[in-house]
Amino acid sequence: MRRSKPQPIRNKLDLADRTQVRLVRKRLGLSDSELTSIVDRIGNSIAAISKEAAQQRATTLPKPDDVPPGTVIAAAAVGEQATVETTATEPVS
């Protein structure tokens, strides 16, 4: 007699299935340890995992490399003030 393969539940993450874990990790941009800690806290619902991953991304600060140095910001601010002052002092005919 031939038995059918049991169908996985689509909205639950099976940590024993390495392919499913790899796909979820890749889609959400998580590491193994981050994914397992989320599953331990939240549960194995894929919707809850993705919501928690999005919330973690929103609360993390951007890397310092993304923000220009203070001297660049100050130079840009001085340059903007100079252009505003020159356009304001020109007579309008």
Side-chain angles (χ1 to χ4, degrees), residues 5-92:
K5 181 180 175 185
Q7 294 295 323
I9 300 172
R10 292 180 185 227
N11 60 351
K12 301 289 182 189
L13 177 65
D14 181 16
L15 289 177
D17 186 3
R18 297 306 302 165
T19 305
Q20 188 179 19
V21 170
R22 182 178 49 86
L23 290 173
V24 169
R25 275 188 41 239
K26 187 175 181 181
R27 184 182 69 173
L28 299 177
L30 298 171
S31 68
D32 277 332
S33 61
E34 290 173 334
L35 182 63
T36 53
S37 69
I38 289 174
V39 170
D40 289 341
R41 279 186 287 129
I42 304 297
N44 63 347
S45 170
I46 293 177
I49 294 169
S50 62
K51 184 177 178 181
E52 180 69 19
Q55 189 176 22
Q56 281 184 359
R57 259 186 260 118
T59 58
T60 58
L61 296 175
K63 294 180 181 177
D65 298 339
D66 297 342
V67 179
T71 55
V72 174
I73 295 172
V78 170
E80 289 175 1
Q81 289 175 353
T83 57
V84 170
E85 290 174 4
T86 57
T87 57
T89 58
E90 294 178 10
V92 179

